[in-house]
Amino acid sequence: MVEYKKSYSGLVLIIALYAVLMLGVVFIPNISARFANILILNGTNLWIAFLSWVIYKTERIYWFTGIDYNKALNVPSQSRKEYALKHFQRFGLFTAAFIVYSIISCVSGMSVWWDINIEIVGIIGVAFSTIGIKLE
């Protein structure tokens, strides 16, 4: 049995990686504002899905879900994994749906405002949908 240690080093590393990648979009030569926006929105969704997958794999459910470390420590490994998997599935599904939407949006020339509003409403909706997930 692996000891369940409290550590935020992985979270800090993933946040730093996200910041570097998002800032890197600025330095892509000849990128349009439209495409930069799509990259940033999809990059953010991919990052959140990746973060939730890492939480699933490492069982670090106390990183962002409102569960504190002591509560997570006292729950069996399988329960932590199931809890994290439910979060990953929801954020992963939204990420996939937004990628499909992005392709349609770019091909049809939809307004950037649609992209931003769908992202905001979608990610907040997914976050709120996870409130009902209980750690058992």
Side-chain angles (χ1 to χ4, degrees), residues 6 13 41 46 74 78 84 90 98 105 111-112 115 120 126:
K6 185 175 184 177
L13 178 65
L41 295 176
L46 287 166
N74 295 318
Q78 186 61 30
R90 291 187 188 189
F98 195 83
S105 175
S111 169
V112 170
D115 302 341
I120 291 169
V126 173

Side-chain angles (χ1 to χ4, degrees), residues 38-71:
I38 289 293
L39 283 179
I40 289 169
L41 295 176
N42 279 293
T44 298
N45 293 334
L46 287 166
W47 178 81
I48 293 170
F50 176 70
L51 174 62
S52 60
W53 178 79
V54 169
I55 290 170
Y56 165 71
K57 295 304 276 183
T58 64
E59 301 178 36
R60 302 287 196 244
I61 60 174
Y62 57 89
W63 276 3
F64 83 154
T65 62
I67 303 294
D68 66 26
Y69 170 75
N70 291 326
K71 183 170 183 177

Side-chain angles (χ1 to χ4, degrees), residues 10-131:
L11 179 61
V12 170
L13 178 65
I14 292 170
I15 290 170
L17 178 64
Y18 170 74
V20 167
L21 291 174
M22 292 301 102
L23 287 172
V25 170
V26 174
F27 297 105
I28 298 174
N30 302 320
I31 189 169
S32 69
R34 169 95 171 107
F35 193 63
N37 181 61
I38 289 293
L39 283 179
I40 289 169
L41 295 176
N42 279 293
T44 298
N45 293 334
L46 287 166
W47 178 81
I48 293 170
F50 176 70
L51 174 62
S52 60
W53 178 79
V54 169
I55 290 170
Y56 165 71
K57 295 304 276 183
T58 64
E59 301 178 36
R60 302 287 196 244
I61 60 174
Y62 57 89
W63 276 3
F64 83 154
T65 62
I67 303 294
D68 66 26
Y69 170 75
N70 291 326
K71 183 170 183 177
L73 178 65
N74 295 318
V75 174
S77 172
Q78 186 61 30
S79 294
R80 288 192 299 261
K81 286 187 113 21
E82 288 172 9
Y83 179 79
L85 181 61
K86 290 175 184 175
H87 283 79
F88 170 65
Q89 289 170 332
R90 291 187 188 189
F91 285 108
L93 182 61
F94 177 72
T95 298
F98 195 83
I99 289 170
V100 170
Y101 162 77
S102 295
I103 293 167
I104 294 167
S105 175
C106 285
V107 169
S108 68
M110 293 174 68
S111 169
V112 170
W113 289 107
W114 277 110
D115 302 341
I116 293 169
N117 286 312
I118 288 172
E119 171 71 11
I120 291 169
V121 169
I123 206 71
I124 290 171
V126 173
F128 275 114
S129 80
T130 65
I131 292 171

